[in-house]
Amino acid sequence: MPRLGVNIDHVATLRQARGEFYPRLDHAARICLENGCDQITIHLREDRRHIQDQDVFDVKKITDQFNKPLNLEMGCAEDILDIAKEARPSWVCLVPEKREEKTTEGGLNLLDKSQYDKVKKTCDALKSSIDGVKISLFLEANEKINDMAIQMGSSIDAVEVHTGDYAKAYLENNDWNSYLTQFENTYNKLKSKGIHVHAGHGLTFESTGPLVEQALFEEYNIGHWIISQSVFEGLDKVVRQMVSLIKR
Ligand code: PXP
């Protein structure tokens, strides 16, 4: 059964916009978990534009209460690594990070040797300091990059495939079907090597449908659309809708 991780970064975006104590992240995490999501995902960015250091610990308390994973997205910066070691999330998703980007714009470029080495070093540091931590790498569905992920061996547990370009093509009614073939190839290759395959970025209720129908992923991490839609419908209802789509 595929899993839904709700990314609650943009609850923090609203809070940070006014420098208030609301809306509370722990409250958002609780509502998502009470309404059937499988994990909470947050991205502690180097510029702290939404999630703050204390949020990682506050949200971890809630995921622990529900006995569900916290999935911490992060770049390979030393200070973030130190916070991860202290907060001990169940999953870490390593992502590339540029300060000037509006959001994560693509996967890690493992074809670049210095990036590959940095990612590998971060994976090994996480694995040796957090008992049982699982690691995913945020990557494009690209054959050469998949090969580099496979080379990482036991340093990683999963690949989270960047679905942003697919989701944009879907929204704009461009040729989104070709992405499904890439996703299927990636799924088959990685699974044959024992690597789990997750999806994330830019997904909406509509664009998630074809991925679920073709059983292309084991986990979906979805944030911006869920938080945006909850302005109109409420977070509890939107999470329930997404859970029923993913688990139908
Ligand atoms: N997965 C990863 C690795 C991400 O960087 C993000 C955005 O923070 C998401 C999933 C969620 O993307 P969205 O907010 O567009 O649903």
Side-chain angles (χ1 to χ4, degrees), residues 17-202:
R18 293 290 288 269
E20 297 290 353
F21 293 103
Y22 63 85
R24 291 182 59 115
L25 266 267
D26 53 354
H27 191 193
R30 182 178 290 286
I31 290 173
C32 295
L33 292 164
E34 280 171 353
N35 286 283
C37 86
D38 300 287
Q39 79 179 356
I40 299 296
T41 295
I42 50 177
H43 184 177
L44 183 63
R45 292 187 69 100
E46 286 168 38
D47 63 7
R48 309 301 200 271
R49 70 175 68 156
H50 38 52
I51 298 296
Q52 306 296 301
D53 298 5
Q54 186 57 42
D55 293 327
V56 181
F57 298 92
D58 293 347
V59 173
K60 175 72 163 43
K61 248 190 224 154
I62 305 296
T63 53
D64 283 352
Q65 277 172 22
F66 282 80
N67 205 15
K68 296 283 186 191
L70 169 65
N71 175 33
L72 179 65
E73 295 171 359
M74 55 179 267
C76 294
E78 283 295 327
D79 64 319
I80 309 273
L81 179 60
D82 288 343
I83 292 163
K85 286 179 185 172
E86 201 184 332
R88 311 176 74 75
S90 312
W91 277 88
V92 170
C93 177
L94 292 179
V95 301
E97 209 176 294
K98 290 193 225 110
R99 271 172 199 259
E100 62 276 15
E101 68 194 357
K102 276 196 199 143
T103 179
T104 316
E105 283 169 356
L108 292 159
N109 179 12
L110 297 184
L111 299 172
D112 177 288
K113 178 153 175 17
S114 70
Q115 187 151 160
Y116 179 96
D117 290 344
K118 198 168 173 187
V119 169
K120 175 93 168 63
K121 193 171 153 218
T122 306
C123 290
D124 294 342
L126 285 162
K127 288 266 179 191
S128 64
S129 49
I130 310 174
D131 236 12
V133 72
K134 296 207 167 123
I135 298 178
S136 63
L137 302 183
F138 189 54
L139 302 178
E140 300 299 324
N142 167 293
E143 202 178 338
K144 285 191 181 144
I145 293 185
N146 292 339
D147 288 339
M148 299 310 285
I150 291 164
Q151 251 190 53
M152 290 260 173
S154 60
S155 297
I156 66 163
D157 302 278
V159 163
E160 181 167 316
V161 172
H162 175 224
T163 50
D165 294 336
Y166 154 76
K168 195 165 190 303
Y170 190 97
L171 272 184
E172 292 171 356
N173 212 10
N174 286 333
D175 174 27
W176 50 270
N177 263 297
S178 58
Y179 288 96
L180 301 189
T181 314
Q182 287 173 31
F183 294 159
E184 192 179 359
N185 293 341
T186 292
Y187 181 88
N188 290 336
K189 182 158 200 178
L190 294 175
K191 285 297 283 180
S192 74
K193 301 290 178 189
I195 297 174
H196 296 291
V197 190
H198 304 167
H201 215 278

